[in-house]
Short mmCIF file of all heavy atoms in Angstrom, two decimals:
data_model
loop_
_atom_site.label_atom_id
_atom_site.label_comp_id
_atom_site.label_asym_id
_atom_site.label_seq_id
_atom_site.Cartn_x
_atom_site.Cartn_y
_atom_site.Cartn_z
N VAL A 73 244.43 -101.05 -77.73
CA VAL A 73 243.41 -100.01 -77.85
C VAL A 73 244.07 -98.82 -78.54
O VAL A 73 245.11 -98.33 -78.09
CB VAL A 73 242.87 -99.60 -76.47
CG1 VAL A 73 241.90 -98.42 -76.61
CG2 VAL A 73 242.17 -100.78 -75.80
N VAL A 74 243.49 -98.38 -79.64
CA VAL A 74 244.06 -97.26 -80.41
C VAL A 74 243.02 -96.16 -80.52
O VAL A 74 241.82 -96.41 -80.63
CB VAL A 74 244.51 -97.71 -81.81
CG1 VAL A 74 245.63 -98.73 -81.71
CG2 VAL A 74 243.36 -98.31 -82.61
N ARG A 75 243.48 -94.91 -80.50
CA ARG A 75 242.58 -93.76 -80.55
C ARG A 75 242.58 -93.07 -81.91
O ARG A 75 241.77 -92.18 -82.14
CB ARG A 75 242.97 -92.75 -79.48
CG ARG A 75 242.78 -93.24 -78.05
CD ARG A 75 243.23 -92.19 -77.06
NE ARG A 75 243.02 -92.61 -75.69
CZ ARG A 75 241.90 -92.37 -74.99
NH1 ARG A 75 240.90 -91.73 -75.57
NH2 ARG A 75 241.79 -92.78 -73.76
N SER A 76 243.50 -93.45 -82.78
CA SER A 76 243.60 -92.77 -84.07
C SER A 76 244.23 -93.71 -85.09
O SER A 76 244.76 -94.78 -84.75
CB SER A 76 244.45 -91.51 -83.94
OG SER A 76 245.79 -91.85 -83.58
N ALA A 77 244.19 -93.25 -86.36
CA ALA A 77 244.81 -94.03 -87.42
C ALA A 77 246.33 -94.08 -87.25
O ALA A 77 246.97 -95.07 -87.60
CB ALA A 77 244.46 -93.43 -88.77
N GLU A 78 246.90 -92.99 -86.70
CA GLU A 78 248.34 -92.98 -86.46
C GLU A 78 248.74 -94.09 -85.50
O GLU A 78 249.72 -94.80 -85.73
CB GLU A 78 248.79 -91.62 -85.91
CG GLU A 78 248.66 -90.47 -86.88
CD GLU A 78 247.32 -89.75 -86.73
OE1 GLU A 78 246.35 -90.39 -86.31
OE2 GLU A 78 247.29 -88.56 -87.04
N GLU A 79 247.99 -94.22 -84.41
CA GLU A 79 248.29 -95.28 -83.44
C GLU A 79 248.09 -96.65 -84.06
O GLU A 79 248.90 -97.57 -83.84
CB GLU A 79 247.41 -95.12 -82.20
CG GLU A 79 247.77 -93.94 -81.32
CD GLU A 79 246.97 -93.95 -80.03
OE1 GLU A 79 246.67 -95.06 -79.53
OE2 GLU A 79 246.65 -92.87 -79.52
N ALA A 80 247.03 -96.81 -84.82
CA ALA A 80 246.76 -98.11 -85.45
C ALA A 80 247.86 -98.47 -86.43
O ALA A 80 248.32 -99.62 -86.48
CB ALA A 80 245.41 -98.07 -86.16
N SER A 81 248.31 -97.49 -87.22
CA SER A 81 249.38 -97.74 -88.18
C SER A 81 250.68 -98.11 -87.47
O SER A 81 251.43 -98.98 -87.94
CB SER A 81 249.58 -96.51 -89.05
OG SER A 81 250.63 -96.70 -89.97
N ALA A 82 250.95 -97.46 -86.34
CA ALA A 82 252.18 -97.76 -85.60
C ALA A 82 252.14 -99.13 -84.96
O ALA A 82 253.16 -99.80 -84.83
CB ALA A 82 252.40 -96.68 -84.53
N ARG A 83 250.96 -99.57 -84.53
CA ARG A 83 250.81 -100.87 -83.86
C ARG A 83 250.77 -102.03 -84.84
O ARG A 83 251.19 -103.15 -84.51
CB ARG A 83 249.54 -100.88 -83.03
CG ARG A 83 249.47 -99.84 -81.93
CD ARG A 83 250.19 -100.29 -80.70
NE ARG A 83 249.99 -99.37 -79.60
CZ ARG A 83 250.46 -99.56 -78.37
NH1 ARG A 83 251.15 -100.66 -78.11
NH2 ARG A 83 250.26 -98.68 -77.41
N ALA A 84 250.24 -101.81 -86.03
CA ALA A 84 250.06 -102.91 -86.98
C ALA A 84 251.39 -103.30 -87.64
O ALA A 84 252.23 -102.46 -87.90
CB ALA A 84 249.05 -102.50 -88.05
N HIS A 85 251.55 -104.57 -87.89
CA HIS A 85 252.72 -105.04 -88.62
C HIS A 85 252.63 -104.51 -90.05
O HIS A 85 251.57 -104.57 -90.68
CB HIS A 85 252.76 -106.57 -88.63
CG HIS A 85 254.03 -107.15 -89.12
ND1 HIS A 85 254.35 -107.21 -90.46
CD2 HIS A 85 255.09 -107.70 -88.46
CE1 HIS A 85 255.54 -107.77 -90.62
NE2 HIS A 85 256.00 -108.08 -89.41
N PRO A 86 253.72 -103.99 -90.60
CA PRO A 86 253.65 -103.37 -91.93
C PRO A 86 253.27 -104.31 -93.05
O PRO A 86 252.85 -103.86 -94.13
CB PRO A 86 255.07 -102.82 -92.13
CG PRO A 86 255.93 -103.58 -91.16
CD PRO A 86 255.06 -103.88 -89.99
N LEU A 87 253.40 -105.62 -92.85
CA LEU A 87 253.07 -106.58 -93.90
C LEU A 87 251.76 -107.32 -93.64
O LEU A 87 251.42 -108.24 -94.39
CB LEU A 87 254.21 -107.60 -94.06
CG LEU A 87 255.58 -107.04 -94.46
CD1 LEU A 87 256.60 -108.16 -94.55
CD2 LEU A 87 255.50 -106.27 -95.77
N CYS A 88 251.06 -106.92 -92.61
CA CYS A 88 249.85 -107.68 -92.24
C CYS A 88 248.66 -107.24 -93.08
O CYS A 88 248.62 -106.16 -93.66
CB CYS A 88 249.53 -107.50 -90.76
SG CYS A 88 248.79 -105.91 -90.33
N ASN A 89 247.68 -108.12 -93.15
CA ASN A 89 246.36 -107.80 -93.67
C ASN A 89 245.40 -107.73 -92.50
O ASN A 89 245.56 -108.46 -91.51
CB ASN A 89 245.89 -108.85 -94.68
CG ASN A 89 246.75 -108.87 -95.93
OD1 ASN A 89 247.27 -107.85 -96.35
ND2 ASN A 89 246.92 -110.06 -96.51
N LEU A 90 244.41 -106.86 -92.60
CA LEU A 90 243.51 -106.65 -91.47
C LEU A 90 242.06 -106.89 -91.89
O LEU A 90 241.62 -106.44 -92.96
CB LEU A 90 243.62 -105.22 -90.92
CG LEU A 90 244.96 -104.78 -90.36
CD1 LEU A 90 245.73 -103.98 -91.41
CD2 LEU A 90 244.77 -103.95 -89.10
N ILE A 91 241.33 -107.60 -91.02
CA ILE A 91 239.88 -107.72 -91.16
C ILE A 91 239.26 -106.59 -90.34
O ILE A 91 239.48 -106.51 -89.13
CB ILE A 91 239.36 -109.08 -90.65
CG1 ILE A 91 240.03 -110.22 -91.40
CG2 ILE A 91 237.85 -109.15 -90.82
CD1 ILE A 91 239.62 -111.60 -90.89
N VAL A 92 238.53 -105.72 -90.99
CA VAL A 92 237.91 -104.58 -90.33
C VAL A 92 236.47 -104.93 -90.00
O VAL A 92 235.73 -105.44 -90.85
CB VAL A 92 237.95 -103.33 -91.24
CG1 VAL A 92 237.29 -102.14 -90.55
CG2 VAL A 92 239.40 -102.99 -91.60
N VAL A 93 236.07 -104.65 -88.76
CA VAL A 93 234.71 -104.90 -88.30
C VAL A 93 234.08 -103.57 -87.90
O VAL A 93 234.63 -102.84 -87.07
CB VAL A 93 234.69 -105.89 -87.11
CG1 VAL A 93 233.26 -106.11 -86.62
CG2 VAL A 93 235.32 -107.22 -87.51
N ALA A 94 232.94 -103.26 -88.47
CA ALA A 94 232.28 -101.99 -88.21
C ALA A 94 231.78 -101.89 -86.78
O ALA A 94 231.53 -102.89 -86.11
CB ALA A 94 231.12 -101.80 -89.19
N ASP A 95 231.61 -100.65 -86.34
CA ASP A 95 231.12 -100.39 -84.99
C ASP A 95 229.71 -100.96 -84.82
O ASP A 95 228.81 -100.68 -85.61
CB ASP A 95 231.09 -98.87 -84.76
CG ASP A 95 231.03 -98.51 -83.30
OD1 ASP A 95 230.42 -99.27 -82.51
OD2 ASP A 95 231.60 -97.48 -82.92
N GLY A 96 229.53 -101.77 -83.78
CA GLY A 96 228.21 -102.32 -83.47
C GLY A 96 227.75 -103.44 -84.37
O GLY A 96 226.57 -103.81 -84.35
N LEU A 97 228.66 -104.04 -85.15
CA LEU A 97 228.25 -105.09 -86.08
C LEU A 97 228.00 -106.42 -85.36
O LEU A 97 228.84 -106.89 -84.60
CB LEU A 97 229.32 -105.30 -87.15
CG LEU A 97 228.97 -106.36 -88.21
CD1 LEU A 97 227.87 -105.85 -89.13
CD2 LEU A 97 230.20 -106.74 -89.03
N VAL A 98 226.87 -107.00 -85.64
CA VAL A 98 226.54 -108.35 -85.18
C VAL A 98 226.64 -109.26 -86.40
O VAL A 98 226.06 -108.98 -87.44
CB VAL A 98 225.11 -108.42 -84.60
CG1 VAL A 98 224.78 -109.84 -84.17
CG2 VAL A 98 224.95 -107.45 -83.45
N SER A 99 227.40 -110.33 -86.28
CA SER A 99 227.59 -111.20 -87.43
C SER A 99 227.78 -112.64 -86.97
O SER A 99 227.66 -112.95 -85.78
CB SER A 99 228.80 -110.73 -88.25
OG SER A 99 228.88 -111.46 -89.46
N THR A 100 228.06 -113.50 -87.91
CA THR A 100 228.39 -114.89 -87.62
C THR A 100 229.75 -115.19 -88.23
O THR A 100 230.30 -114.38 -88.99
CB THR A 100 227.34 -115.85 -88.20
OG1 THR A 100 227.36 -115.74 -89.63
CG2 THR A 100 225.95 -115.51 -87.70
N ASP A 101 230.29 -116.35 -87.92
CA ASP A 101 231.61 -116.68 -88.45
C ASP A 101 231.60 -116.86 -89.95
O ASP A 101 232.65 -116.76 -90.60
CB ASP A 101 232.15 -117.93 -87.76
CG ASP A 101 231.25 -119.15 -87.96
OD1 ASP A 101 230.09 -118.96 -88.38
OD2 ASP A 101 231.70 -120.26 -87.69
N LEU A 102 230.44 -117.09 -90.56
CA LEU A 102 230.37 -117.26 -92.01
C LEU A 102 230.86 -116.00 -92.73
O LEU A 102 231.69 -116.08 -93.65
CB LEU A 102 228.93 -117.59 -92.44
CG LEU A 102 228.68 -117.67 -93.95
CD1 LEU A 102 229.53 -118.77 -94.57
CD2 LEU A 102 227.21 -117.89 -94.24
N ALA A 103 230.37 -114.84 -92.31
CA ALA A 103 230.78 -113.59 -92.95
C ALA A 103 232.25 -113.29 -92.70
O ALA A 103 232.97 -112.86 -93.61
CB ALA A 103 229.91 -112.44 -92.45
N ILE A 104 232.71 -113.53 -91.47
CA ILE A 104 234.11 -113.23 -91.14
C ILE A 104 235.05 -114.17 -91.90
O ILE A 104 236.07 -113.75 -92.45
CB ILE A 104 234.34 -113.35 -89.62
CG1 ILE A 104 233.39 -112.40 -88.86
CG2 ILE A 104 235.78 -113.03 -89.28
CD1 ILE A 104 233.59 -110.94 -89.18
N LEU A 105 234.71 -115.45 -91.93
CA LEU A 105 235.55 -116.41 -92.65
C LEU A 105 235.56 -116.13 -94.16
O LEU A 105 236.57 -116.35 -94.83
CB LEU A 105 235.06 -117.84 -92.39
CG LEU A 105 235.33 -118.38 -90.97
CD1 LEU A 105 234.63 -119.73 -90.78
CD2 LEU A 105 236.83 -118.52 -90.73
N THR A 106 234.43 -115.66 -94.67
CA THR A 106 234.37 -115.30 -96.09
C THR A 106 235.39 -114.21 -96.41
O THR A 106 236.14 -114.30 -97.39
CB THR A 106 232.96 -114.81 -96.46
OG1 THR A 106 232.04 -115.90 -96.30
CG2 THR A 106 232.91 -114.34 -97.90
N MET A 107 235.45 -113.18 -95.56
CA MET A 107 236.38 -112.08 -95.79
C MET A 107 237.83 -112.47 -95.46
O MET A 107 238.76 -111.94 -96.06
CB MET A 107 235.97 -110.86 -94.97
CG MET A 107 234.63 -110.27 -95.41
SD MET A 107 234.55 -109.91 -97.18
CE MET A 107 235.82 -108.67 -97.35
#
Side-chain angles (χ1 to χ4, degrees):
V73 175
V74 297
R75 294 178 178 270
S76 64
E78 293 93 332
E79 289 187 33
S81 178
R83 299 277 187 177
H85 191 283
L87 299 179
C88 76
N89 295 328
L90 298 98
I91 302 177
V92 180
V93 178
D95 199 327
L97 181 71
V98 179
S99 188
T100 64
D101 60 345
L102 175 62
I104 303 298
L105 288 173
T106 296
M107 294 307 297

